[in-house]
Amino acid sequence: MKQFVFVLFIMASSLNSVYAESDPMSGKKLEDIVREFTEDKLEIENHVIKFMYKEVPLYCIYDESNDRMRIISPIKRYNQVTEEEKNSMMEANFHRALDARYASSGGVLYSAYIHPLSPLKKSDLLYGIYQVVSLFLTFGDEYSSSTLTFGDQGQEPLKERI
């Protein structure tokens, strides 16, 4: 997994973009960056960019009028998620999922990265893709978006308030 992170950042730093990092992110810029990055065919329709990375299906959905974007990857039908998996996902969302999260909508479990569109930087986008892919690939095992964790997983700091 650590090698995957390193390779992703090497790829990200080697991508030549016609945009300055200080330019606000737009739908067109998102499309161009994903087009440079993807290793498979790319489909774009109605503010949805569909692509693959590491054999993981990804969707980048953006809404310029509301200044939002998200990268998602469907994992499985939510009614097929066990209670143990749900508990593991909630723990992961607190400790091991950094900027990406497990989420559900329309009866589907997703890994998801959600961010305001205009302040999004290319490096944020690429790291978001990495985290979504990592959550997808580690579902059922590590439930982790990267090699980092946040906080002490055994600690319950607010338990006395409940």
Side-chain angles (χ1 to χ4, degrees):
M1 186 63 76
K2 290 179 185 176
Q3 183 180 16
F4 176 62
V5 173
F6 179 72
V7 170
L8 180 70
F9 281 110
I10 294 298
M11 288 177 59
S13 64
S14 68
L15 293 175
N16 295 322
S17 179
V18 296
Y19 301 101
E21 189 71 12
S22 61
D23 290 343
M25 186 64 73
S26 66
K28 171 73 170 112
K29 189 173 175 182
L30 267 178
E31 292 171 6
D32 290 345
I33 293 169
V34 173
R35 187 175 284 113
E36 290 176 357
F37 173 76
T38 189
E39 59 189 30
D40 204 346
K41 68 180 182 175
L42 177 79
E43 297 176 28
I44 303 172
E45 186 177 333
N46 297 327
H47 308 282
V48 178
I49 307 166
K50 180 181 176 183
F51 63 106
M52 299 282 287
Y53 186 74
K54 298 291 180 193
E55 299 181 20
V56 174
L58 295 155
Y59 299 84
C60 179
I61 304 162
Y62 62 91
D63 180 347
E64 289 178 302
S65 63
N66 289 303
D67 196 32
R68 302 300 295 175
M69 65 78 60
R70 66 180 60 181
I71 302 164
I72 60 172
S73 184
I75 298 173
K76 68 191 291 187
R77 303 282 302 133
Y78 194 74
N79 63 5
Q80 297 172 343
V81 178
T82 68
E83 196 64 31
E84 182 180 335
E85 289 170 330
K86 289 176 186 176
N87 290 336
S88 295
M89 288 185 308
M90 292 302 291
E91 284 286 324
N93 278 349
F94 197 80
H95 294 291
R96 294 178 307 282
L98 300 178
D99 301 316
R101 295 283 185 268
Y102 290 107
S104 68
S105 179
V108 177
L109 172 66
Y110 294 93
S111 56
Y113 173 78
I114 301 167
H115 198 282
L117 180 62
S118 62
L120 185 73
K121 303 294 182 212
K122 181 179 179 178
S123 57
D124 297 330
L125 175 64
L126 296 176
Y127 197 55
I129 293 169
Y130 160 73
Q131 289 188 47
V132 169
V133 169
S134 182
L135 283 179
F136 178 97
L137 294 174
T138 63
F139 177 81
D141 184 28
E142 297 173 23
Y143 298 91
S144 177
S145 68
S146 78
T147 57
L148 302 174
T149 61
F150 183 77
D152 179 5
Q153 294 181 42
Q155 185 181 21
E156 296 182 38
L158 300 177
K159 188 174 183 177
E160 66 274 3
R161 294 186 183 176
I162 300 173

